Amino acid sequence: MAEVDLHLHTTISDGRLTPEQLVHLVARRGLRVVAVSDHDITDGLEAAWNAAEEYPQLTILPGVELSTDIPGNEIHVLGYCINYRAADFQAALKRFRDSRVGRAQGMVERLRALGMPVDWERVQQIAGEGAIGRPHIARAMLERGYISRLSEAFDNYIGRNGVAYVEREKQSPEEAIQLIIKAGGVPVLAHPAHLNNISETIDELKAAGLEGMEVFYAEYSHTMIEHLKGIALQNDLLPCGGSDYHANDTPREPIPGDNGPPLWVADRVMEIALERGGVLR
Ligand code: AMP
Ligand code: FE
Ligand code: FE
Ligand code: ZN
């Protein structure tokens, strides 16, 4: 069991537990430091902190996960301890979320053309108030019986190479890193195992200001984690990580606390943020 989990989602983006439910779960699991890292939105933080008041041993760091593109692949960048109240940072998140809506509509349109109509209203209902994403479309497809598992939606239809896939508005990882740094946050490369030229990519992102990379990613094998640990050490990057929990309740879904970085990593993240104008709350 880990004491730290720096990668968690809630109903505010594509997770299935509310911030409150997530906080009760991580507290029950004995976690000491966690980050709520929803996609393109920070609106779940307040509720999470309120729920955490009954758990004085638990620290919740502000986080966010930004989606970016490189040729032929997608890179997610996590940002921790951002001064999320900064108006220009929130304006950027709002832009990303607005572009998610048009993109999701585009995918729903393509599915209709492929003979798999899902109601746009239903997708919006599943997504709720926060950031809409492909998992919400996948759940609507599941309800309609077009697929039997969430991952099938990604494998066959709305994954990067799927027939109903629509690209997002392009953003480079360097831009995302800059945005996070400008708001006082600590940028960390999410789940890097899918990258083809990991060393090259890390060189570039490190030059742009990257401070860490996910190593203790709960879904990764022991061998992969050891491999990534070596890369982080070599590049002087903080070995971060967590469960990337969405509460999908799929068979092998990692649970918060299954794996995560040691406490010193979370301490260092907080230290770096405080040196550059970030916030812990
Ligand atoms: P989006 O934010 O709309 O680009 O959708 C990306 C999200 O879809 C990720 O954050 C995951 O939560 C989810 N996702 C990606 N691939 C899969 C998959 N194979 N099975 C289930 N969920 C996935
Ligand atoms: Fe997600
Ligand atoms: Fe991600
Ligand atoms: Zn995530």
Side-chain angles (χ1 to χ4, degrees), residues 7 9 13-15 37-39 65 76 100 135 154 191 244-246 248:
H7 196 157
H9 296 275
S13 65
D14 57 3
S37 58
D38 275 312
H39 300 281
E65 183 173 19
H76 291 182
R100 282 176 166 275
F154 288 87
H191 38 69
D244 200 358
Y245 188 59
H246 287 78
N248 283 329

Side-chain angles (χ1 to χ4, degrees), residues 7 9 13-15 39-40 65 67 74 76 100 103-104 107 131-139 149-155 158-160 165-166 168 191 217 244-246 248 250:
H7 196 157
H9 296 275
S13 65
D14 57 3
H39 300 281
D40 297 340
E65 183 173 19
S67 307
E74 191 170 314
H76 291 182
R100 282 176 166 275
R103 176 181 185 235
M107 286 187 271
I132 197 166
R134 284 178 285 170
H136 304 118
I137 300 175
R139 279 180 223 150
R149 289 172 290 111
L150 278 184
S151 59
E152 239 178 279
F154 288 87
D155 294 344
I158 55 174
R160 171 163 287 269
Y165 180 71
V166 176
R168 84 186 83 251
H191 38 69
Y217 190 70
D244 200 358
Y245 188 59
H246 287 78
N248 283 329
T250 44

Side-chain angles (χ1 to χ4, degrees), residues 23-228:
V23 166
H24 297 315
L25 174 66
V26 299
R28 250 196 344 266
R29 299 274 294 165
L31 283 155
R32 300 276 305 279
V33 184
V34 303
V36 173
S37 58
D38 275 312
H39 300 281
D40 297 340
I41 191 162
T42 56
D43 295 4
L45 290 169
E46 210 55 55
W49 282 320
N50 288 338
E53 263 167 36
E54 60 181 291
Y55 307 113
Q57 76 285 4
L58 177 64
T59 299
I60 299 175
L61 301 181
V64 73
E65 183 173 19
L66 305 178
S67 307
T68 74
D69 304 274
I70 56 170
N73 218 334
E74 191 170 314
I75 288 184
H76 291 182
V77 180
L78 293 154
Y80 297 119
C81 303
I82 294 157
N83 174 16
Y84 61 94
R85 293 179 189 86
D88 49 351
F89 178 72
Q90 284 303 331
L93 293 191
K94 174 75 165 53
R95 261 198 336 272
F96 300 154
R97 293 200 298 277
D98 287 347
S99 87
R100 282 176 166 275
V101 177
R103 176 181 185 235
Q105 277 172 320
M107 286 187 271
V108 165
E109 204 35 65
R110 292 213 179 165
L111 288 170
R112 179 182 311 282
L114 289 162
M116 284 174 289
V118 295
D119 287 327
W120 171 242
E121 286 68 33
R122 181 61 191 140
V123 175
Q124 282 179 301
Q125 202 173 43
I126 294 171
E129 291 287 285
I132 197 166
R134 284 178 285 170
H136 304 118
I137 300 175
R139 279 180 223 150
M141 292 177 74
L142 196 62
E143 279 181 1
R144 295 292 298 255
Y146 301 139
I147 52 172
S148 53
R149 289 172 290 111
L150 278 184
S151 59
E152 239 178 279
F154 288 87
D155 294 344
N156 300 336
Y157 305 110
I158 55 174
R160 171 163 287 269
N161 300 311
V163 285
Y165 180 71
V166 176
E167 290 210 321
R168 84 186 83 251
E169 200 181 295
K170 297 257 185 216
Q171 177 186 212
S172 72
E174 287 85 355
E175 286 169 324
I177 288 170
Q178 277 313 308
L179 181 70
I180 291 164
I181 292 173
K182 203 164 144 254
V186 181
V188 169
L189 173 61
H191 38 69
H194 70 293
L195 296 171
N196 296 323
N197 331 346
I198 185 160
S199 301
E200 206 175 297
T201 305
I202 282 175
D203 281 348
E204 287 167 17
L205 301 191
K206 172 98 187 169
L210 192 73
E211 295 283 355
M213 60 184 266
E214 285 196 311
V215 166
F216 303 96
Y217 190 70
E219 195 187 284
Y220 290 164
S221 69
H222 179 74
T223 315
M224 177 56 74
I225 289 171
E226 287 305 309
H227 172 65
L228 293 174

